[in-house]
Amino acid sequence: MSSRSRRYDPRLDLKPRPISGRDPSADARARLLVITLFLGVLILTMGVTSTPAGSALPLADQPSIAADTPTATQAQAAQAQAGPQAAEHYVGWVVGQSDSGYAAIFRSTDGGATWERQGSPATIPDAPLQAVAAIDPLTCWAVGESANGYGTILRTEDGGATWERQGSPATIPDVGLGKISAVDRDTAWVVGTPGVILFTADGGATWTQKQTADIPPVLLQGVYALDADNVWVTGDTYGGYGTIFRTEDGGASWQRKGSAAEVPDAALLDVHASDYDTAWIASAGALGSTTASVIHTDDNGASWTGQILVAFFDTNGVTTIGDNVVWVVTDADGIYRSDNARDFVQQQAAAGKYSYYLVSIDALDADTAWAAGPAGGTSVPAGIVEHTSDGGETWVKQLELDIALQAVSFARPQTYYFAEGHTGAGFQEYLCLGNFGTNDTTARVTYMFEGGGTQEEAYTVPAESRLTVNVNQVVGAGKHVAMECEADWPIVAERPMYFDYTGAGGHWTGGHDVMGAPAPANEWYFAEGYTGPGFDEYLCVLNPWGADADLTFRFQVQGEGERVVAGKTVPGHSRRTFRVNELLGGAYEASLDLESTQPVVAERSMYFNYTGYGAPGWTGGHCVIGATELSTDYLFAEGCTREGFDEYLILQNPNGFEITVYAFYMLGEGQGSPYPIGGIYTVPANGRKTVYVNSPGPEGVGGGKDVSVMLICYQDFLAERPMYFDYSGMGPHSWTGGHCVAGATAFARTWFFAEGYTGTGFEDWICIQNPGNLPAEVTITYFTESGDPIVCKQPTIAAFSRFTAYVNGPDNAGPGRTVSAMVTSDAPVICERPMYFSYGPGWTGGHCVMGSTP
């Protein structure tokens, strides 16, 4: 059997459950209905439009293993180098048959370059292990055949230093367990024979059987859990075609998918789902060339299409990255990849043809994957692990030994990247680390400098606490510095900076803050950008790889269209700063689509003397990490058009066609309609649009409002929300500055913030948007540097509205505290944290971040 699990890190989910079209839960369906009604209201009753007149809204059997009895060899004996851009910090496990009296478990802490066997006959049963699920560098499950009267489920929480067997004959049936899919550290699904489905929601402390009378007593060989409720399972033939079942209610009921006309009469060996509608299944090929190798659905199993990749051989494992990148592995050393969810191309495996049955494939991104399997004959060792770091253009052998291997799974450390950073005169940089878990963790930070050179440091972050690192003190003065921060246990990382920037015409004081990026990428998008008088715009690019990164800047210039600047390079293991004013050579409002030949991290910082709409000169700066993907939906919890605040929406359209964006503004309590009010905005092809939210309809909402907004489009785009201010706050003060964030692409019930400070000269807020049609009950838990959490229940937040919590206040963290914050809600919400300040020598300003989600 092959193995495939979902590696889930609760701080690395770049794209949480989408707002529209995918979420099957009841509250999300209600929100979709409400959104549809609002769209109808906009078309039928509102005069709010900036579009041309007349425009309208587009509504099997297990793969065989060599019979020879394997003889254990040293795991290092036949390992090769891992190829370009090897993921040297990725941690993974491979499992397989028994040898020397216990099942094989090998662990790598360097992306597969070296391996070490774990366990002993005293802790690991003498039963083959068939599947493995690496959750993070410390946490892993493995499952396998029955031993001592019940199926084998093993778990480690310390990186494999110890393994504990879970369950007992009273709770786990005496059957072979073939696959596991883990959602997170607590939640996992396991399948086996005959028709056994097991579930845990407490890390395996208890397991319950979830099969119903609908599940036939066949060998189940595939399972994939999108979350605790939405699960696919697959297995042997039943009633003339392969078994496919789907649950959307946590296993209370199961629905069979497909038909004899669409699904092959063969065992279905593995399944992987990229979203709530899209799934791929690997099929056994014993019935010959008329049997589909893989089948695919994009409508939640209502219909299926199949393809034949290789006749007579089993397709054993499948994995996807997004909806388009699909890898499958087969008997006879077969590795196939599709980049369009349709056309598969065979890749060259590291081993010779017909040497191995590749039965497991695991991918962390579109470039990085591992395949494993047992021998296909008696002339080669019995197990292999292969690796690619270039999307499969080359596969290298990492492990080959005399034990039949059945499954491989890898996990990244919790990682954040920061491209911007400066410790020169007039700049103070910090790194804030929030640990919301119950275990201490070590954060390993690599500082990378402009012009080359690195510095490595390690910091202990206590459980349920936060740590502040003064970067100036660590790296010294006068450095342009980027950071890579990784930890074995999930944390949240932010980088606030405070400054007295020497710009054209004087000193511009302020501060900015960003959440770290979870991974490098080949493409980054930025909606905001301005190089006019009083604005200095920079793009900071971090290249964490060894090879140079060649960049192409594609600017979407408002009123002009696309302008391309090429020929720029960032050397390996360094960062480089580009002044956008010089790249464009004039005063422009311009969005950016940045392309790179190597995965990089990109941030855009802007420093300004803002004089828009009569402002007398509000100085400050703001910064955002770019977006690596576009979306059709964005939400912003923060927003203010009161006196002293100018709010904008920047809409980027890098597509070659015009798009229409629909806005739903949600006001503070008592400030207007209890239902969203809206606007309609047209954005030209390869262009951008600037919306001044303070303006009265049809463009904005007018002055004097606290406002959240939801943006919806039928094509992908990007939205940012810059704000400029003279903040009086609780003082009153006169703290001038600005901040900017990119919109959230999804609701969530939990949000995290690493930074938070309520000391003298700082006023800290948390803005919570409830975009749904039901009230939200919200609690904020503050984690202090002393490790004493403060739990604060918030007032009920009405439907279609926003609420602002004053963190300095007595009903929240209170004054004089350094905190991280966790926001939890019984209904999906959106959360941002703005802070306004007079820092140190009187550098006034503000910064804002969108929260991090599980």
Side-chain angles (χ1 to χ4, degrees):
M1 298 177 187
S2 59
S3 173
R4 177 68 177 95
S5 65
R6 180 178 188 237
R7 302 146 320 285
Y8 179 86
D9 193 320
R11 306 292 185 270
L12 283 182
D13 197 344
L14 288 178
K15 197 169 186 180
R17 182 174 299 173
I19 294 165
S20 59
R22 301 295 190 196
D23 189 343
S25 64
D27 54 358
R29 285 196 295 268
R31 284 160 172 74
L32 292 176
L33 174 61
V34 170
I35 290 169
T36 302
L37 292 174
F38 290 156
L39 291 174
V41 169
L42 278 175
I43 296 303
L44 295 175
T45 66
M46 291 187 62
V48 180
T49 179
S50 58
T51 59
S55 63
L57 176 65
L59 288 188
D61 290 335
Q62 180 177 341
S64 58
I65 300 174
D68 294 358
T69 301
T71 301
T73 61
Q74 291 298 319
Q76 317 295 344
Q79 297 178 29
Q81 292 299 314
Q85 295 183 11
E88 58 270 6
H89 297 300
Y90 294 175
V91 175
W93 283 266
V94 64
V95 300
Q97 300 283 65
S98 290
D99 180 75
S100 303
Y102 63 112
I105 303 177
F106 289 87
R107 182 179 188 246
S108 174
T109 60
D110 52 15
T114 61
W115 297 83
E116 180 179 358
R117 189 168 184 181
Q118 295 188 318
S120 69
T123 57
I124 308 297
D126 186 13
L129 295 176
Q130 304 287 6
V132 63
I135 312 305
D136 56 48
L138 298 178
T139 312
C140 183
W141 267 295
V143 301
E145 300 296 330
S146 179
N148 303 318
Y150 60 110
T152 300
I153 303 177
L154 301 170
R155 177 180 167 95
T156 181
E157 296 182 356
D158 55 13
T162 59
W163 287 86
E164 293 186 1
R165 189 170 182 184
Q166 295 187 323
S168 67
T171 58
I172 307 295
D174 186 13
V175 299
L177 302 177
K179 285 285 176 58
I180 180 170
S181 180
V183 177
D184 53 36
R185 289 180 185 80
D186 296 323
T187 312
W189 293 79
V190 172
V191 297
T193 185
V196 170
I197 304 174
L198 302 173
F199 171 73
T200 183
D202 56 14
T206 58
W207 289 88
T208 57
Q209 295 193 41
K210 287 292 186 175
Q211 67 269 24
T212 68
D214 297 319
I215 304 295
V218 299
L219 172 60
L220 298 179
Q221 304 202 58
V223 59
Y224 190 85
L226 288 151
D227 53 40
D229 295 324
N230 293 272
V231 185
W232 294 87
V233 297
T234 64
D236 282 2
T237 295
Y238 178 73
Y241 59 103
T243 299
I244 308 172
F245 278 87
R246 173 86 153 86
T247 182
E248 298 182 6
D249 55 16
S253 63
W254 296 87
Q255 298 78 44
R256 190 170 189 188
K257 301 292 186 176
S259 66
E262 300 172 309
V263 177
D265 184 12
L268 304 180
L269 303 179
D270 197 16
V271 58
H272 191 279
S274 55
D275 57 45
Y276 289 90
D277 291 334
T278 309
W280 290 81
I281 295 176
S283 170
L287 298 182
S289 60
T290 60
T291 298
S293 302
V294 291
I295 60 174
H296 170 229
T297 182
D298 58 11
D299 55 15
N300 195 19
S303 62
W304 296 84
T305 57
Q307 297 185 54
I308 300 171
L309 301 183
V310 55
F312 300 104
F313 293 128
D314 291 349
T315 303
N316 302 304
V318 59
T319 191
T320 70
I321 300 297
D323 285 346
N324 291 323
V325 176
V326 186
W327 261 302
V328 297
V329 289
T330 76
D331 295 349
D333 302 288
I335 304 175
Y336 295 81
R337 174 175 165 134
S338 174
D339 287 315
N340 60 8
R342 183 179 63 253
D343 303 310
F344 282 85
V345 176
Q346 185 171 8
Q347 300 183 333
Q348 181 62 54
K353 194 168 179 61
Y354 306 119
S355 298
Y356 286 95
Y357 297 106
L358 295 179
V359 298
S360 173
I361 184 162
D362 188 55
L364 293 183
D365 54 49
D367 293 322
T368 311
W370 291 262
T378 60
S379 61
V380 296
I384 194 171
V385 176
E386 303 181 16
H387 171 58
T388 182
S389 59
D390 57 15
E393 292 185 18
T394 56
W395 287 84
V396 297
K397 187 189 306 180
Q398 289 190 316
L399 176 64
E400 193 172 43
L401 71 167
D402 291 335
I403 301 175
L405 300 177
Q406 293 283 32
V408 63
S409 183
F410 268 82
R412 290 186 181 94
Q414 169 73 59
T415 307
Y416 291 96
Y417 295 88
F418 300 92
E420 167 68 300
H422 186 52
T423 63
F427 279 78
Q428 176 61 60
E429 179 179 355
Y430 295 94
L431 176 64
C432 299
L433 305 174
N435 181 1
F436 303 91
T438 57
N439 294 75
D440 295 354
T441 191
T442 298
R444 299 175 295 276
V445 179
T446 301
Y447 300 94
M448 288 169 271
F449 304 108
E450 189 149 348
T454 63
Q455 178 179 336
E456 296 186 0
E457 302 288 344
Y459 309 101
T460 297
V461 188
E464 297 185 324
S465 182
R466 85 151 238 196
L467 177 72
T468 304
V469 178
N470 185 324
V471 177
N472 291 52
Q473 292 180 356
V474 173
V475 305
K479 302 290 181 65
H480 293 281
V481 57
M483 292 184 289
E484 178 187 60
C485 176
E486 65 177 30
D488 292 336
W489 192 264
I491 60 174
V492 174
E494 293 184 43
R495 188 217 57 234
M497 293 174 61
Y498 303 92
F499 51 79
D500 182 353
Y501 173 84
T502 304
H507 293 273
W508 303 343
T509 67
H512 50 62
D513 184 19
V514 295
M515 290 279 187
N522 291 90
E523 192 162 16
W524 294 85
Y525 299 93
F526 300 88
E528 170 63 308
Y530 183 58
T531 58
F535 278 74
D536 285 351
E537 179 181 351
Y538 297 89
L539 192 76
C540 301
V541 181
L542 164 65
N543 177 10
W545 309 109
D548 292 352
D550 298 324
L551 306 180
T552 300
F553 297 77
R554 299 187 181 276
F555 292 99
Q556 290 81 49
V557 180
Q558 189 157 314
E560 178 180 312
E562 186 172 76
R563 178 183 294 193
V564 179
V565 177
K568 306 298 182 180
T569 300
V570 182
H573 298 301
S574 70
R575 65 156 267 187
R576 188 175 175 189
T577 305
F578 301 91
R579 190 167 187 262
V580 179
N581 299 56
E582 297 174 354
L583 292 178
L584 286 173
Y588 296 98
E589 296 176 78
S591 300
L592 173 62
D593 175 1
L594 177 71
E595 298 175 348
S596 173
T597 57
Q598 298 287 337
V600 296
V601 179
E603 288 186 54
R604 184 208 65 237
S605 53
M606 295 176 65
Y607 303 90
F608 50 78
N609 182 11
Y610 173 81
T611 57
Y613 292 96
W618 299 343
T619 65
H622 51 62
C623 185
V624 297
I625 294 272
T628 59
E629 291 183 343
L630 304 175
S631 178
T632 58
D633 312 282
Y634 292 97
L635 296 105
F636 297 91
E638 166 66 309
C640 183
T641 65
R642 294 173 182 263
E643 183 178 358
F645 282 80
D646 280 354
E647 177 181 355
Y648 297 87
L649 292 173
I650 311 298
L651 311 178
Q652 176 187 12
N653 177 19
N655 304 297
F657 47 82
E658 180 181 279
I659 65 172
T660 301
V661 177
Y662 303 86
F664 302 95
Y665 295 101
M666 304 170 200
L667 305 180
E669 186 175 356
Q671 295 181 349
S673 171
Y675 300 102
I677 58 178
I680 304 177
Y681 311 116
T682 297
V683 190
N686 294 312
R688 65 165 257 176
K689 180 175 177 60
T690 302
V691 178
Y692 182 48
V693 180
N694 292 52
S695 65
E699 186 79 354
V701 300
K705 310 293 186 186
D706 298 312
V707 58
S708 297
V709 65
M710 174 192 294
L711 302 174
I712 298 175
C713 182
Y714 279 86
Q715 292 83 30
D716 288 337
F717 73 111
L718 178 63
E720 293 184 37
R721 188 214 59 238
M723 292 174 58
Y724 303 92
F725 50 79
D726 183 352
Y727 174 85
S728 58
M730 309 300 287
H733 316 291
S734 181
W735 297 345
T736 68
H739 50 62
C740 184
V741 298
T745 60
F747 308 125
R749 290 182 172 85
T750 305
W751 295 82
F752 300 97
F753 300 95
E755 166 66 308
Y757 184 60
T758 63
T760 301
F762 279 74
E763 294 183 3
D764 189 355
W765 306 83
I766 294 178
C767 300
I768 306 170
Q769 175 189 13
N770 178 9
N773 62 335
L774 299 173
E777 302 296 333
V778 174
T779 298
I780 304 177
T781 303
Y782 298 98
F783 296 86
T784 68
E785 287 186 314
S786 64
D788 299 315
I790 304 168
V791 181
C792 302
K793 182 73 172 64
Q794 304 300 309
T796 299
I797 304 175
F800 313 126
S801 71
R802 62 162 274 181
F803 169 77
T804 305
Y806 183 43
V807 179
N808 298 52
D811 294 334
N812 282 273
R817 294 187 182 276
T818 301
V819 297
S820 295
M822 177 176 67
V823 181
T824 56
S825 172
D826 67 342
V829 294
I830 305 295
C831 292
E832 294 184 50
R833 190 215 58 244
M835 292 175 64
Y836 303 91
F837 51 78
S838 176
Y839 174 86
W843 300 346
T844 68
H847 50 62
C848 184
V849 295
M850 190 71 68
S852 174
T853 58

